[in-house]
């Protein structure tokens, strides 16, 4: 009797694990099925390349793809040096209490809700950008990527710190023993030995930047156009999903949001695969 | 050569301090701005409006000009989602840590990594499309509602709970694993009576962070049933309000200063909830930086 009970519980463990894995596939399957007509007859490529012009019967998501890439890549351009600098500050330059305090602050930053960044962005950053550049509404690619920088930096900083700490102590000691300074030790020993971790941190942060909805939705302006400059309004794939609400579930407008979903799914999956292929990902979970 | 080296010695620390000051300054600006503009609206009337608090809590009267419905909606959302996610997440974590072979583990881990990395709007879109799909099967009976949102949110936090359970179990020393087994306990008895209690702090800190994720997420719920004004949720199948959505809504739709002040108040409340949860997770288990990586 007891054995049967145990088998039932263990059966539940197995089922749960495979259910959760299946869920990942089902998520993709649902979007594919509901967006299906879009992908018939090779229309998927025209969807990716066309502009969004409902009055002309064009429902391409090319402006949204460009908007997403512009905002996330620009934020990575700001965030990467910033995070590297902060990670160096925490791991190498500052010591003791200061280093601990900085680290805790960065960890705390991961707990700040995205909608808060968006909210403060509207009332603090957008007017600043508008005044400073004296152009447009201030709701633009630049504002969104500046706020996004704050969102993605903690992920990178913590990951960089961890990969610096993983470089064996003996390597660093050797550098110091031959008369190197702390800075030289970092530049010539720690950094070259931790680059896979740095690349992975960058990749994970890029995934967050691509996938974030609220910041772009609230402060990028959401105009459906291919942004021509940093001060142009833009719409990301994520905002497009959040904004399109067609009453008619069969309309091409509505189907196009599944193209956005599929694109985001494939892109983040691709990034996650890259992280795993770099190897350190597996090592991280096994620890 | 000497000049380059001197430049490095001065430049690297200078650059890193510059970055540190810039980051800290920005965070302090964000949080400070919120508190400077919002502290005046903090008070009981922010949540309950003009309704007596006790009447509101006992559901005797509706709250029209306070955040009570949004707070109640967020709380019900958290409780429901965590209820769905904990059993399945913990069971999957236990399976991964204690039963699965190396091949199966690597295979399943791939899916959980992908799930963890998905943007929350994609999970929301899944919840929404599942609703559309069910609506076709059973016309007129399924609409976006609290139940759908909580299930979709549960999917979002599932990888957190799987991961923390798995890591907590795998982190136990061999001696802890062997004692009960050597006394004749079965594998399951060992897990339930020895391994799970010992890894509880890790699992609990994961659950707390999952709660934080449920409290702050906006993208999932805006596709699956949250609305700007619905009152306190009456049933699983009703529309509901939630704090993060309220903040989002007010930021673009406010009509007067008073509404905007309520928006600031809501933002401060949400920020405090999330920071308190974060501190709690930190107190339960001092190694939270790893969780930080699990926000996508």
């Amino acid at each position: 009797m007891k054995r049967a009970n145990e088998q039932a519980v263990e059966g539940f463990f197995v089922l749960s694990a495979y259910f959760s894995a299946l869920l990942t596939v089902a998520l993709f399957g649902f979007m594919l099925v509901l967006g299906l007509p879009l992908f018939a007859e090779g229309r998927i490529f025209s969807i990716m390349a066309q502009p969004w012009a409902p009055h002309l019967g064009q429902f391409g998501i090319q402006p949204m793809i460009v908007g997403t890439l512009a905002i996330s890549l620009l934020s990575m351009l700001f965030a990467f040096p910033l995070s590297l600098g902060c990670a160096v500050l925490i791991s190498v330059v500052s010591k003791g209490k200061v280093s601990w305090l900085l680290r805790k602050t960065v960890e705390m930053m991961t707990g700040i809700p995205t909608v808060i960044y968006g909210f403060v962005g509207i009332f603090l950053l957008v007017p600043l950008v508008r005044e400073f550049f004296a152009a447009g509404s201030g709701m633009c690619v630049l504002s969104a990527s500046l706020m996004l920088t704050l969102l993605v930096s903690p992920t990178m900083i913590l990951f960089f710190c961890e990969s610096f700490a993983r470089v064996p102590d003996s390597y660093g000691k050797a550098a110091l023993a031959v008369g190197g300074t702390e800075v030289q030790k970092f530049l010539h020993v720690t950094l070259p030995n931790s680059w896979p971790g740095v690349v992975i941190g960058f990749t994970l942060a890029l995934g967050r930047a691509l996938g974030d909805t609220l910041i772009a939705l609230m402060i990028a302006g959401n105009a459906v156009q291919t942004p021509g400059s940093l001060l142009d309004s833009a719409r990301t794939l994520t905002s497009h999903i959040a904004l399109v609400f067609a009453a008619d579930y069969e309309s091409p407008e509505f189907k196009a949001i599944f193209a956005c979903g599929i694109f985001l799914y494939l892109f983040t999956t691709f990034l996650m695969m890259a992280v795993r292929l770099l190897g350190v990902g597996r090592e991280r979970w096994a620890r | 050569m000497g000049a380059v080296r001197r430049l490095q010695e001065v430049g690297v620390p200078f650059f890193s301090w510059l970055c540190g000051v810039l980051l800290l300054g920005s965070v302090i600006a964000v949080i400070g701005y919120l508190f400077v503009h919002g502290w005046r609206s903090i008070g009981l009337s922010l949540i309950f409006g003009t309704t007596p608090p006790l009447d509101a809590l006992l559901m005797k009267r509706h709250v029209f000009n306070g955040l009570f419905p949004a707070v109640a909606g967020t709380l019900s959302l958290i409780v429901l989602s965590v209820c769905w996610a904990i059993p399945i997440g913990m069971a999957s974590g236990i399976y991964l840590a204690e039963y699965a072979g190396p091949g199966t583990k690597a295979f399943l881990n791939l899916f959980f990594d992908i799930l963890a990395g998905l943007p929350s709007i994609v999970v929301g879109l899944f919840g929404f499309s599942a609703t559309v799909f069910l609506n076709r099967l059973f016309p007129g009976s399924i609409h976006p509602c609290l139940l759908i949102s909580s299930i979709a949110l549960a999917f979002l936090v599932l990888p957190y709970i799987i991961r923390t359970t798995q890591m907590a179990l795998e982190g136990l020393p061999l001696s802890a694993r062997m004692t009960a087994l050597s006394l004749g306990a079965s594998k399951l008895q060992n897990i339930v009576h020895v391994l799970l209690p010992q890894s509880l702090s890790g699992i609990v800190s994961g659950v707390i962070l999952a709660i934080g994720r449920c409290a702050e997420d906006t993208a999932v719920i805006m596709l699956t049933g949250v609305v700007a004004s619905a009152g306190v949720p009456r049933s699983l199948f009703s529309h509901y309000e939630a704090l993060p959505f309220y903040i989002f809504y007010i930021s673009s739709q406010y009509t007067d200063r008073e509404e905007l002040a309520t928006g600031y108040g809501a933002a401060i409340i949400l920020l405090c909830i999330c920071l308190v949860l974060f501190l709690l997770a930190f107190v339960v288990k001092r190694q939270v930086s790893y969780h930080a990586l699990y926000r996508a």
Side-chain angles (χ1 to χ4, degrees):
Chain A
M1 192 57 212
K2 186 156 182 64
R3 195 60 216 150
N5 274 343
E6 291 206 349
Q7 270 177 349
V9 174
E10 288 172 354
F12 175 65
F13 292 164
V14 182
L15 272 183
S16 301
Y18 281 93
F19 169 79
S20 313
L22 203 65
L23 189 66
T24 316
V25 183
L27 245 116
F28 192 67
F30 253 100
M31 291 192 295
L32 211 56
V33 169
L34 284 167
L36 198 61
L38 286 178
F39 308 107
E41 310 140 27
R43 281 177 62 195
I44 183 74
F45 294 107
S46 61
I47 288 282
M48 296 283 178
Q50 267 179 3
W52 179 267
H55 54 281
L56 297 176
Q58 291 185 322
F59 301 95
I61 56 171
Q62 183 258 348
M64 278 62 95
I65 295 178
V66 175
T68 299
L69 289 178
I71 290 176
S72 53
L73 291 179
L74 187 64
S75 74
M76 294 307 287
L77 192 69
F78 297 137
F80 182 71
L82 183 74
S83 306
L84 200 59
C86 291
V88 172
L89 184 63
I90 291 173
S91 311
V92 183
V93 176
S94 67
K95 290 273 177 280
K97 276 265 177 279
V98 180
S99 164
W100 181 87
L101 195 72
L102 284 167
R103 203 191 161 87
K104 289 301 154 216
T105 313
V106 172
E107 285 179 4
M108 180 213 73
M109 280 179 71
T110 63
I112 299 179
T114 320
V115 71
I116 301 282
Y117 285 124
F119 189 80
V120 176
I122 289 184
F123 297 107
L124 179 66
L125 182 66
V126 166
L128 280 179
V129 169
R130 185 173 50 217
E131 299 289 310
F132 190 79
F133 293 99
S137 66
M139 297 216 177
C140 59
V141 173
L142 182 67
S143 306
S145 41
L146 282 175
M147 260 316 173
L148 211 48
T149 301
L150 275 186
L151 184 79
V152 297
S153 291
T155 311
M156 271 198 280
I157 297 173
L158 294 174
F159 216 96
F160 292 173
C161 286
E162 199 182 299
S163 38
F164 293 164
R166 278 159 165 272
V167 176
D169 213 23
S170 53
Y171 293 16
K173 287 219 173 86
L176 295 180
V178 295
T181 62
E182 285 288 339
V183 171
Q184 283 175 324
K185 173 186 137 187
F186 171 75
L187 286 177
H188 300 297
V189 179
T190 313
L191 198 55
N193 279 298
S194 51
W195 73 265
V198 171
V199 174
I200 288 177
F202 182 87
T203 315
L204 286 174
L206 179 60
R208 280 203 72 182
L210 285 170
D212 181 75
T213 311
L214 264 289
I215 290 182
L217 181 61
M218 288 168 90
I219 60 181
N222 296 324
V224 188
Q225 57 177 23
T226 307
S229 88
L230 296 187
L231 297 173
D232 275 356
S233 164
R235 184 186 284 201
T236 60
L237 291 166
T238 49
S239 324
H240 189 62
I241 297 178
L243 285 169
V244 167
F245 261 99
D248 178 10
Y249 292 158
E250 297 300 325
S251 66
E253 282 107 320
F254 183 70
K255 301 275 183 214
I257 70 172
F258 293 102
C260 296
I262 288 167
F263 195 81
L264 282 169
Y265 188 108
L266 291 178
F267 216 97
T268 46
T269 304
F270 170 76
L271 288 179
M272 204 43 102
M273 295 283 198
V275 167
R276 283 174 69 95
L277 281 180
L278 278 159
V280 187
R282 214 171 313 146
E283 197 187 318
R284 180 161 54 97
W285 305 131
R287 208 156 35 94
Chain B
M1 198 59 201
V4 173
R5 217 165 268 165
R6 261 202 306 280
L7 196 68
Q8 279 178 3
E9 289 300 318
V10 182
V12 171
F14 177 76
F15 176 72
S16 68
W17 276 111
L18 190 71
C19 291
V21 169
L22 209 59
L23 187 81
L24 277 185
S26 323
V27 175
I28 292 170
V30 167
I31 297 179
Y33 179 83
L34 211 54
F35 276 91
V36 165
H37 285 79
W39 68 272
R40 268 184 233 92
S41 58
I42 296 293
L44 268 187
S45 68
L46 173 67
I47 294 182
F48 295 107
T50 47
T51 318
L54 201 62
D55 286 0
L57 286 174
L58 295 174
M59 309 279 218
K60 277 186 192 155
R61 271 192 240 170
H62 288 293
V63 176
F64 289 110
N65 44 2
L67 290 172
F68 183 66
V71 174
T74 289
L75 286 183
S76 4
L77 206 55
I78 291 173
V79 171
L80 284 169
S81 324
V82 171
C83 277
W84 310 136
I86 282 183
I88 296 177
M90 275 181 68
S92 311
I94 294 171
Y95 178 76
L96 279 184
E98 302 296 323
Y99 291 92
T104 322
K105 204 189 245 185
F107 175 71
L108 289 175
N109 270 337
L110 173 67
F111 288 105
F112 299 149
D113 277 351
I114 293 175
L115 191 59
L118 286 184
S120 59
I121 191 92
V122 172
V123 179
L125 185 58
F126 173 64
F128 178 67
S129 41
T131 318
V132 172
F133 189 73
L134 287 174
N135 208 8
R136 266 186 212 164
L137 285 183
F138 313 102
S141 56
I142 305 280
H143 299 286
C145 62
L146 188 56
L147 182 70
I148 303 269
S149 289
S150 65
I151 293 176
L153 266 185
F155 292 164
L156 189 72
V157 297
L158 197 59
Y160 273 54
I161 297 181
I162 295 176
R163 223 32 109 186
T164 40
T165 309
Q166 184 198 350
M167 303 263 298
L169 284 171
E170 283 176 348
L172 292 177
L174 200 61
S175 56
R177 272 168 199 285
M178 289 305 173
T179 318
L181 287 179
S182 67
L183 292 171
S186 70
K187 187 167 186 175
L188 186 64
Q189 283 172 330
N190 190 33
I191 292 173
V192 173
H193 297 295
V194 181
L195 302 182
L196 280 184
Q198 290 206 26
S199 49
L200 205 59
S201 71
I203 299 175
V204 170
S205 75
V207 170
I208 295 174
L209 287 159
I211 292 176
R213 196 81 180 79
C214 290
E216 71 121 352
D217 190 86
T218 325
V220 170
I221 59 176
M222 66 197 286
L223 287 183
T224 53
V226 75
V227 289
S229 156
V232 176
R234 294 275 159 189
S235 87
L236 285 179
F237 302 101
S238 64
H239 286 297
Y240 62 96
E241 296 178 35
L243 273 179
F245 185 76
Y246 182 83
I247 297 168
F248 165 69
Y249 180 80
I250 281 297
S251 72
S252 57
Q253 309 287 333
Y254 69 94
T255 48
D256 53 31
R257 295 200 71 81
E258 203 174 323
E259 269 190 11
L260 187 59
T262 321
Y264 276 106
I268 291 178
I269 292 179
L270 184 68
L271 183 64
C272 290
I273 292 176
C274 289
L275 293 185
V276 165
L277 284 171
F278 188 85
L279 276 179
L280 213 61
F282 177 69
V283 171
V284 172
K285 190 154 169 59
R286 288 181 172 270
Q287 177 65 54
V288 278
S289 62
Y290 140 80
H291 296 298
L293 305 173
Y294 245 103
R295 286 186 28 135

